[in-house]
């Protein structure tokens, strides 16, 4: 998500690409020397990335409202902790002491203080104890004295059970068996032989949840389309008692044959894959399963297209999406979901009773060309507590949010208006009746590719820009929604990262990216340009890349 610190590097690579193209065109007139190629190679990504310091990478919010991030500088990696409530930041822990303690506990492996391979950590006992995950180990380290680390045994007694045969359509070497943990972490569901199973995380006891799954008609399978895995596609209810999933029917779908390019004898792969015009395509039959009783409730509706509102699969890769077109009520009694036509021109928002399987249609929308509910994120939200629905539509020519009555399916009001698109709804505050969303093209005179964060009330009033800087903003909200990290940059301006509250007030300046070492190599940023479109009126935004 936080790739803003890479923007300068990307520009450098593109500039190199432009220079290379010019070189090819002129090669016959000027054969380039090894020194000139070496000069060009200086600006390849693997050479320039290490020259950019203090970018905020993957900021992580802790449960107590603090945030930590990895800070890479000329002296190595440091772990910084930010406390927005106190408006302070500092070292997360004593890295020298921690490295020594980890080395003592590692049994032969040595850890360096400036290169700790920590992927996550938790703090307790007034920050005197840290639980770290590093190098495939999980250690509890007491830093109150000299520093002592002990191994943390897994809270699960589960030894990953054999998942059985690879689901049909999943090529060897693609994906790995994956189980999906319940919200309370007491259970995991997984696929075995086309059926769904559950395993108890404490005892390892397994139970079969479905029994009628067969080849090309299995439960929760992730093997339709180009993306494949052996993981289960399910959505747990908030109370960890039920899962929403589907039985996927590919029995009549024709096969696609592929031969991977290898250095040895290739192996023929066959996938179920419908082509344009095929009568039989992949369909899903939606079900809800009560995990304790293994009762399967099949929703009372015809089979659905294997589609999301933002891609041609039920789960979309490349963004932050999971099975977001299905959303539970807090009590687990109802399920809101959106069905999409094969051509993405029609959507139906429905609500199911998870006990009876009864389904009612709330509302729908038809688009003349193509419907999508956001950029890499589903924007519609099921709000049964207030009996409302947040809905995304481009019906007025821009991507906007609308508020519907969940009972009648009638439009209550349009929430966002004016030029520019809503791209991602990041947070919904039902109590305050407010949404927080990323938008583009809403600020006059600014590059319409720059993303900004806004807030607006459910009734459409009080829309506010929360990130005023003329730059592209990357946002990460805290778990309680009180604060957010804002990392902003442009192709010519290094990244600045701050923490703000939900009014947009800056609380802590986190980091400023240092590109002085990159500039010293001769790198220069591209030149932003604006030109008119063919109509003579529309501004087109771009960059002019010059050879170094």
């Amino acid at each position: 998500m936080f790739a803003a610190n890479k923007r300068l590097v990307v520009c450098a690579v593109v500039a190199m690409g432009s220079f290379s193209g010019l070189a090819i065109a002129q090669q016959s007139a000027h054969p380039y020397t090894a020194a000139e190629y070496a000069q060009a190679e200086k600006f390849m990504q693997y050479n320039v990335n290490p020259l950019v310091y203090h970018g905020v990478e993957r900021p992580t919010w802790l449960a107590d409202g603090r945030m930590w991030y990895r800070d890479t500088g000329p002296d190595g990696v440091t772990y910084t902790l930010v406390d927005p409530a106190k408006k302070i930041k500092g070292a997360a822990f004593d890295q020298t002491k921690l490295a020594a303690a980890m080395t003592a506990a590692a049994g032969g492996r040595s850890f360096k203080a400036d290169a700790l391979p920590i992927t996550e950590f938790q703090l307790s006992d007034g920050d005197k104890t840290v639980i770290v995950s590093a190098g495939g180990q999980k250690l509890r380290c007491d830093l109150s004295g000299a520093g002592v680390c002990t191994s943390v045994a897994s809270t699960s007694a589960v030894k990953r059970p054999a998942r059985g045969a690879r689901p049909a359509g999943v090529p060897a070497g693609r994906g790995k068996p994956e189980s999906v943990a319940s919200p309370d972490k007491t259970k995991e569901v997984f696929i075995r032989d086309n059926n769904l199973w559950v395993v108890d995380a404490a005892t390892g006891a397994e139970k079969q949840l479905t029994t009628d799954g067969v080849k090309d008609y299995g439960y929760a399978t992730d093997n339709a389309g180009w993306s494949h895995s052996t993981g289960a596609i399910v959505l747990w209810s908030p109370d960890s008692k039920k899962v929403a999933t589907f039985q996927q029917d590919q029995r009549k779908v024709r096969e696609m044959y592929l031969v991977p390019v290898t250095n040895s004898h290739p192996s023929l792969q066959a996938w179920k894959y419908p082509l344009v015009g095929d009568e039989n395509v992949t369909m899903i039959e939606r079900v809800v399963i009560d995990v304790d009783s293994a009762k399967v409730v099949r929703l009372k509706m015809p089979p659905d297209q294997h589609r999301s509102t933002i891609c041609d699969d039920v789960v979309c890769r490349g963004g932050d999406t999971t099975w977001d077109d299905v959303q539970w009520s807090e009590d687990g009694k109802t399920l809101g979901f959106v069905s999409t036509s094969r051509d993405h021109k029609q959507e139906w928002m429905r609500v199911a009773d998870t006990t009876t399987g009864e389904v009612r249609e709330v509302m729908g929308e038809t688009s003349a060309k193509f419907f999508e509910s956001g950029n890499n994120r589903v924007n519609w939200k099921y709000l049964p507590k207030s009996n409302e629905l947040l809905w995304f539509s481009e019906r007025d020519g821009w991507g906007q949010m609308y508020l519907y009555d969940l009972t009648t399916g009638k439009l209550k009001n349009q929430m966002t208006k004016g030029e520019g698109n809503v791209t991602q709804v990041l947070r919904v505050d039902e109590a305050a009746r407010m949404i927080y969303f990323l938008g583009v093209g809403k600020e006059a005179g600014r590059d319409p590719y720059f993303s900004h964060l806004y807030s607006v009330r459910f009734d459409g009033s009080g829309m506010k820009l929360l990130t005023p800087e003329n730059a592209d903003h990357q946002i990460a909200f805290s778990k309680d929604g009180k604060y957010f990290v804002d990392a902003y940059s442009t192709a010519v301006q290094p990244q600045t990262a701050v923490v703000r509250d939900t009014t947009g007030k800056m609380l802590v300046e986190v980091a400023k990216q240092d590109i002085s070492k990159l500039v010293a190599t001769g790198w220069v940023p591209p030149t932003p340009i604006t030109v008119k479109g063919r109509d003579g009126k529309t501004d087109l935004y771009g960059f002019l890349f010059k050879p170094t």
Side-chain angles (χ1 to χ4, degrees), residues 19 51 95 121 148 164 175 177 211 227 275 289 296 300 344 362 365 388 401 437 443 475 479 543:
F19 181 72
L51 306 179
Q95 291 187 207
F121 68 82
V148 177
T211 58
S227 297
L275 298 179
I289 303 173
V296 179
K300 298 177 181 178
H344 287 275
V362 175
E365 181 163 351
E388 291 170 311
M401 295 303 299
F437 66 92
E443 305 305 314
I475 307 298
K479 296 179 187 297
F543 297 100

Side-chain angles (χ1 to χ4, degrees), residues 21-32 37:
L22 180 63
I24 293 172
Q26 298 181 348
Q27 192 168 11
S28 59
H30 177 77
Y32 286 94
Y37 274 103

Side-chain angles (χ1 to χ4, degrees), residues 110-239:
S110 178
F111 291 92
K112 295 182 178 180
D114 61 355
L116 291 173
I118 295 173
T119 55
E120 61 178 337
F121 68 82
Q122 304 169 36
L123 295 169
S124 61
D125 301 328
D127 296 350
K128 296 177 182 177
T129 300
V130 57
I131 299 176
V132 298
S133 296
Q137 289 183 299
K138 195 167 188 179
L139 300 170
R140 180 188 300 275
C141 302
D142 182 354
L143 303 181
S144 60
V148 177
C149 291
T150 56
S151 179
V152 177
S154 173
T155 56
S156 171
V158 176
K159 292 182 179 179
R160 293 267 178 187
R163 300 308 193 222
R166 178 181 294 106
V170 179
R174 294 194 62 174
K176 60 182 179 180
E178 298 173 0
S179 55
V180 182
S182 59
D184 64 7
K185 307 302 181 185
T186 63
K187 298 177 284 288
E188 299 177 18
V189 292
F190 64 92
I191 299 171
R192 177 183 288 153
D193 300 329
N194 301 297
N195 282 291
L196 202 62
W197 291 64
V198 65
V199 58
D200 187 281
T203 66
E206 298 176 10
K207 181 171 65 176
Q208 189 168 354
L209 297 177
T210 66
T211 58
D212 60 336
V214 295
K215 182 179 182 295
D216 298 326
Y217 192 38
Y219 285 90
T221 51
D222 183 24
N223 61 347
W226 290 101
S227 297
H228 300 76
S229 81
T230 53
I233 299 178
V234 303
L235 186 67
W236 280 94
S237 61
D239 60 9

